[in-house]
Amino acid sequence: MVAEVGVGNTQVLNERSLQLLKTLVERYISDGQPVGSRALSKDSDLHLSPATIRNVMADLEDLGLVHSPHTSAGRVPTVSGYRLFVDTLVTVKPLESKDLTLLHQGLTVSDGSSDMIEVASRLLSELTQMAGVVTLPKRELVCLRHIEFLSLSNNRVLVIFVTNEQEVHNKIIHTSKIFSPAELQQAANYLNSTYSGRSLTSVRKAVLKELQEDQERMNNGMLDAVRMAQLAFDQGNDKDDYVLTGETNLMGFSELSNMDRLKNLFEAFSQKQGVIHLLDQCMKAEGVQIFIGEESGYRAFDHCSLVTSSYSVSDEVVGVLGVIGPTRMAYEKIIPFVDVTAKLLGAALNPKATTPL
Amino acid sequence: MVAEVGVGNTQVLNERSLQLLKTLVERYISDGQPVGSRALSKDSDLHLSPATIRNVMADLEDLGLVHSPHTSAGRVPTVSGYRLFVDTLVTVKPLESKDLTLLHQGLTVSDGSSDMIEVASRLLSELTQMAGVVTLPKRELVCLRHIEFLSLSNNRVLVIFVTNEQEVHNKIIHTSKIFSPAELQQAANYLNSTYSGRSLTSVRKAVLKELQEDQERMNNGMLDAVRMAQLAFDQGNDKDDYVLTGETNLMGFSELSNMDRLKNLFEAFSQKQGVIHLLDQCMKAEGVQIFIGEESGYRAFDHCSLVTSSYSVSDEVVGVLGVIGPTRMAYEKIIPFVDVTAKLLGAALNPKATTPL
DNA sequence: TGCTGGCACTCGACTTGATAGAGTGCTAAA
DNA sequence: TTTAGCACTCTATCAAGTCGAGTGCCAGCA
């Protein structure tokens, strides 16, 4: 993607062109207006005349890095231009100490009763004045703490299970026969003593294995328990989900003030599907990842950028968080912001954490 | 509010004027354009010339029922005009059988595993193409089914309790001493045997009473149990909440395409406070209630109307549902729609229900 | 060879003026 | 009491004109 730099056209994309591109993007991000050659001549420290800059701009336009909305307007960065900018040109600013303090305050493990995910999302959106998004930690990496059954009418059983420290999940399963409360209690006891402390994926695997191989070894009660566990931890039970806050902040940006775009975007938010898929992709990479405009592949996000970072608990990636805003966002601030938030959240979610960083 | 009708100015607000107001509102609702005297003359069955109608319009304008955006535009209903219309003039249309079928399908008790509240909200928004809102049933009228404690680190205890048939709630409480799992189990057993089946409010009252009066009668374990119950069922534990769907539908309406208005509205939605307060007011009245524009008292809703109805389980009002849309909405359809949905939802939530209506 | 000043040109934003159409208020007549 | 007619008002729309920002290109200069 950055292949243009220094291959065939080294002489075109030299240091100076890159410097000008950088200045242009910075200027456009802060102003929102197409940047003309005169402004660029003043802004950059290169002491070049507007005429020279126009020549360079023409080259950058040929390379698809900038674009002119119309004949006599300045230049605006294209998606490729932004890409080059965030990949190699941007000079990230260290987080303002005010913001850092707020993040620390919000994301310390002290107060276990508040929902960290929610807090993180809110911090992201409030401090960046854009939309913040945080996925719930992946259940594969989540430990079963306790399970409990409660009988309902019509062969239905309410399964309640607690994961990690304090997250409560519940699901209704349909059983083939009616269980007495005592039987349910017994089943729960068996499952708790056997599987408590193990990860949900490993529990699921173990359950499947027992059903296939060890049936003769088990008594009826154990078999029932394992069967119910299978139903309870069935794949795709709790769909991965995310917490999104500050969507309304996005309504302030002029590039999103087009009602159709905005509607598409908000519909994408409420359907969740696309967003989840996008965030899933970010989970694979470590560190900060950025989707600019159409790069995401979802039309609804055409005029948005997404700056994400995965967050990890005990060196395992368990989720993703990020900021959604207009393509024209202050990447140099947002990138470190997302980075730090991800690290703090990971640390805060770590049960045996001392304050990190 | 409807006091103008037939008091001092009977001769002004006579049958004919009302008929014309009705026609005007209907026409404006369907067109969205200010209605002129000529159009009104054709639309109404009164066989009056435009000139006559202009005289009537001038009277209606004096009474504050209609309003001219500018000198040579037609008339538009004011809030008072809408009020009079929905209170006395509107002829509600019976629900289309297609919609009725869909409502019945969605809101029958058969499938207990899906969330009725969510379904109801979604039906409201999808079938009306506006936003649907449904409050969660009031907890005062909710029965405790089962309670369970789980110890966490640092004197914290995770309380899980199940209400009604299958709703699971959880809360973390801080205790003064550290309990062993066995002690917690014992406390849960005591509470389950004592309070299971009673409403949350009555449990709360009973707990308070025991703590104040019957302390000497109880052993230590019971006392601990009751203390924990008090913490768990503390007032304001689960804040009343609502499920809102189809907000994005509102972005299609021209009267809400002003970005500022829209932003205010969506911020009100995400803060929830104001909406909850508004819905609470509706809980007091039975049947369909309507807030038009500024009547709600919340600036964010200035250009919206809210058509609500409380819904009841076993003859007790437990919640409110409604539709939010632009002031210019098809009241004659929405009113019966909300009415029927409320009745169906109430019936569906009734544990021992046969299909109603 | 690369940079710069100059010049003609283009395009959008804004202003102005003219026109058509919808709808009103008022008055006088039926 | 209703109606027809008329003058008036206001909006929306279009065309024309102007201004300014910015470009592309060319010729000259270091």
Side-chain angles (χ1 to χ4, degrees):
Chain A
M1 224 166 271
V2 198
E4 297 99 349
V5 189
V7 272
N9 29 27
T10 326
Q11 131 243 39
V12 173
L13 252 185
N14 52 12
E15 193 58 36
R16 194 180 69 180
S17 319
L18 291 173
Q19 173 64 34
L20 281 172
L21 177 61
K22 184 184 176 199
T23 314
L24 182 139
V25 175
E26 284 169 353
R27 173 75 181 235
Y28 181 68
I29 284 174
S30 78
D31 280 19
Q33 298 294 325
V35 185
S37 53
R38 174 148 43 172
L40 220 42
S41 153
K42 281 187 200 154
D43 266 28
S44 76
D45 304 332
L46 297 173
H47 303 291
L48 294 173
S49 75
T52 313
I53 292 186
R54 285 203 282 277
N55 288 327
V56 178
M57 287 301 115
D59 295 341
L60 292 180
E61 184 142 23
D62 288 344
L63 291 170
L65 296 172
V66 298
H67 164 250
S68 230
H70 60 84
T71 318
S72 81
R75 301 308 209 289
V76 162
T78 62
V79 170
S80 314
Y82 275 123
R83 181 85 267 164
L84 186 51
F85 176 77
V86 301
D87 282 347
T88 69
L89 300 177
V90 65
T91 42
V92 297
K93 290 185 185 169
L95 222 56
E96 283 177 34
S97 65
K98 171 175 64 75
D99 290 348
L100 194 59
T101 315
L102 286 167
L103 284 179
H104 259 108
Q105 273 173 10
L107 293 175
T108 35
V109 26
S110 71
D111 181 14
S113 66
S114 61
D115 185 348
M116 281 295 166
I117 307 301
E118 171 94 21
V119 169
S121 179
R122 205 160 289 284
L123 281 168
L124 282 172
S125 66
E126 282 173 10
L127 297 183
T128 64
Q129 287 295 302
M130 298 192 273
V133 62
V134 184
T135 64
L136 300 186
K138 271 181 86 164
R139 72 194 289 257
E140 280 80 33
L141 300 150
V142 142
C143 286
L144 180 64
R145 167 87 200 279
H146 182 85
I147 190 167
E148 174 94 11
F149 297 110
L150 216 57
S151 75
L152 304 175
S153 53
N154 301 333
N155 280 18
R156 293 174 309 149
V157 171
L158 176 63
V159 188
I160 304 172
F161 58 100
V162 183
T163 58
N164 287 348
E165 267 288 276
Q166 61 203 41
E167 286 171 57
V168 181
H169 310 256
N170 67 81
K171 186 182 180 182
I172 291 169
I173 60 176
H174 294 252
T175 54
S176 51
K177 68 169 197 179
I178 298 180
F179 291 99
S180 72
E183 286 172 313
L184 289 176
Q185 184 65 53
Q186 204 186 342
N189 287 344
Y190 169 71
L191 293 174
N192 280 323
S193 61
T194 317
Y195 297 115
S196 179
R198 297 173 59 176
S199 83
L200 286 193
T201 7
S202 91
V203 172
R204 199 185 306 133
K205 275 184 202 150
V207 160
L208 275 178
K209 184 158 165 284
E210 294 211 354
L211 280 179
Q212 282 166 5
E213 300 173 11
D214 305 336
Q215 290 212 7
E216 64 282 358
R217 192 176 57 68
M218 296 191 288
N219 64 32
N220 275 344
M222 287 159 66
L223 206 54
D224 285 337
V226 172
R227 283 202 185 113
M228 284 196 284
Q230 194 208 355
L231 289 172
F233 300 131
D234 197 13
Q235 195 71 270
N237 156 17
D238 63 353
K239 338 173 157 83
D240 303 81
D241 206 352
Y242 60 81
V243 175
L244 177 70
T245 58
E247 311 95 293
T248 49
N249 287 338
L250 300 180
M251 297 203 276
F253 297 106
S254 56
E255 42 270 87
L256 299 173
S257 59
N258 175 310
M259 201 49 72
D260 274 348
R261 282 183 201 164
L262 203 62
K263 191 169 181 187
N264 285 336
L265 189 59
F266 274 64
E267 272 167 3
F269 286 158
S270 68
Q271 281 165 7
K272 300 204 166 186
Q273 270 300 337
V275 182
I276 287 174
H277 187 242
L278 202 51
L279 292 173
D280 262 357
Q281 290 179 249
C282 305
M283 191 110 90
K284 287 163 198 157
E286 290 229 338
V288 174
Q289 256 201 314
I290 303 179
F291 290 89
I292 298 162
E294 299 115 48
E295 284 180 354
S296 70
Y298 290 91
R299 304 303 306 271
F301 286 88
D302 270 7
H303 299 267
C304 287
S305 281
L306 177 60
V307 178
T308 65
S309 172
S310 54
Y311 63 91
S312 310
V313 174
S314 323
D315 285 332
E316 281 230 73
V317 172
V318 295
V320 179
L321 57 75
V323 166
I324 301 168
T327 320
R328 174 172 92 77
M329 67 163 75
Y331 296 96
E332 81 280 2
K333 284 186 191 175
I334 302 297
I335 291 171
F337 198 94
V338 168
D339 193 33
V340 170
T341 310
K343 286 183 180 130
L344 287 174
L345 177 62
L349 290 178
N350 195 331
K352 41 195 176 290
T354 52
T355 322
L357 280 190
Chain B
M1 220 167 275
V2 198
E4 298 98 348
V5 188
V7 268
N9 31 25
T10 325
Q11 130 242 39
V12 174
L13 252 186
N14 52 11
E15 192 59 38
R16 195 180 66 177
S17 318
L18 290 173
Q19 174 64 36
L20 281 172
L21 178 62
K22 183 182 176 200
T23 314
L24 183 139
V25 175
E26 284 168 352
R27 173 76 180 232
Y28 181 69
I29 284 174
S30 78
D31 279 18
Q33 299 293 325
V35 185
S37 53
R38 172 145 46 166
L40 220 42
S41 152
K42 280 185 198 154
D43 265 28
S44 76
D45 304 333
L46 297 172
H47 304 290
L48 293 173
S49 78
T52 313
I53 292 187
R54 284 202 283 277
N55 290 325
V56 179
M57 286 301 115
D59 295 342
L60 293 180
E61 185 142 20
D62 288 344
L63 291 170
L65 296 171
V66 298
H67 163 249
S68 230
H70 59 85
T71 318
S72 80
R75 299 310 209 287
V76 164
T78 62
V79 171
S80 314
Y82 275 123
R83 179 87 269 163
L84 186 51
F85 176 77
V86 300
D87 282 347
T88 69
L89 301 176
V90 65
T91 41
V92 297
K93 290 183 183 169
L95 223 54
E96 283 177 33
S97 66
K98 171 176 65 75
D99 290 348
L100 194 60
T101 316
L102 285 168
L103 283 179
H104 260 107
Q105 273 174 9
L107 294 174
T108 35
V109 343
S110 70
D111 181 14
S113 66
S114 61
D115 183 349
M116 282 297 169
I117 307 299
E118 170 93 23
V119 169
S121 179
R122 205 160 289 284
L123 282 168
L124 283 171
S125 65
E126 280 172 11
L127 298 182
T128 64
Q129 286 296 302
M130 297 191 274
V133 62
V134 185
T135 64
L136 300 186
K138 270 179 86 166
R139 76 195 288 257
E140 280 81 36
L141 300 149
V142 142
C143 286
L144 179 64
R145 168 83 201 280
H146 182 83
I147 190 166
E148 175 92 11
F149 297 109
L150 214 57
S151 75
L152 304 175
S153 53
N154 302 332
N155 280 18
R156 294 173 308 150
V157 171
L158 176 63
V159 187
I160 304 172
F161 58 97
V162 183
T163 57
N164 286 348
E165 267 287 277
Q166 61 203 40
E167 286 171 60
V168 181
H169 310 255
N170 67 85
K171 185 182 180 183
I172 291 171
I173 60 176
H174 294 251
T175 53
S176 51
K177 67 169 197 178
I178 297 180
F179 292 99
S180 72
E183 286 173 312
L184 290 176
Q185 183 65 53
Q186 206 187 340
N189 288 344
Y190 169 71
L191 294 173
N192 279 323
S193 61
T194 317
Y195 297 116
S196 179
R198 295 173 61 176
S199 85
L200 286 194
T201 9
S202 90
V203 172
R204 201 186 303 134
K205 275 185 204 148
V207 160
L208 275 177
K209 182 155 165 287
E210 294 211 354
L211 280 179
Q212 283 165 3
E213 300 174 12
D214 305 336
Q215 290 211 10
E216 63 283 358
R217 192 176 57 70
M218 296 190 288
N219 63 33
N220 275 342
M222 286 160 69
L223 205 54
D224 285 337
V226 172
R227 284 203 184 113
M228 283 196 284
Q230 195 207 354
L231 289 172
F233 299 130
D234 197 13
Q235 194 72 268
N237 157 15
D238 64 353
K239 333 165 161 85
D240 303 81
D241 206 351
Y242 59 81
V243 175
L244 177 71
T245 59
E247 312 96 294
T248 50
N249 287 339
L250 300 180
M251 298 203 274
F253 297 106
S254 56
E255 43 270 86
L256 298 174
S257 59
N258 176 311
M259 201 48 70
D260 274 348
R261 283 182 201 164
L262 202 63
K263 192 170 179 186
N264 286 335
L265 189 60
F266 274 65
E267 272 166 4
F269 286 159
S270 67
Q271 280 165 9
K272 298 203 166 184
Q273 271 299 337
V275 182
I276 286 174
H277 186 242
L278 201 52
L279 292 172
D280 262 358
Q281 289 179 251
C282 306
M283 193 111 90
K284 287 162 197 158
E286 289 230 340
V288 174
Q289 255 200 314
I290 303 180
F291 290 89
I292 298 162
E294 299 115 49
E295 284 181 351
S296 69
Y298 290 91
R299 304 302 307 272
F301 285 87
D302 269 7
H303 299 265
C304 287
S305 280
L306 177 60
V307 178
T308 66
S309 171
S310 55
Y311 64 90
S312 309
V313 174
S314 323
D315 285 333
E316 281 230 73
V317 173
V318 294
V320 179
L321 57 74
V323 167
I324 300 168
T327 321
R328 173 171 92 76
M329 67 161 75
Y331 296 95
E332 81 279 3
K333 284 186 188 176
I334 302 297
I335 292 171
F337 198 96
V338 168
D339 193 33
V340 170
T341 309
K343 285 181 181 132
L344 286 174
L345 177 62
L349 289 178
N350 195 331
K352 41 198 176 287
T354 53
T355 320
L357 280 190

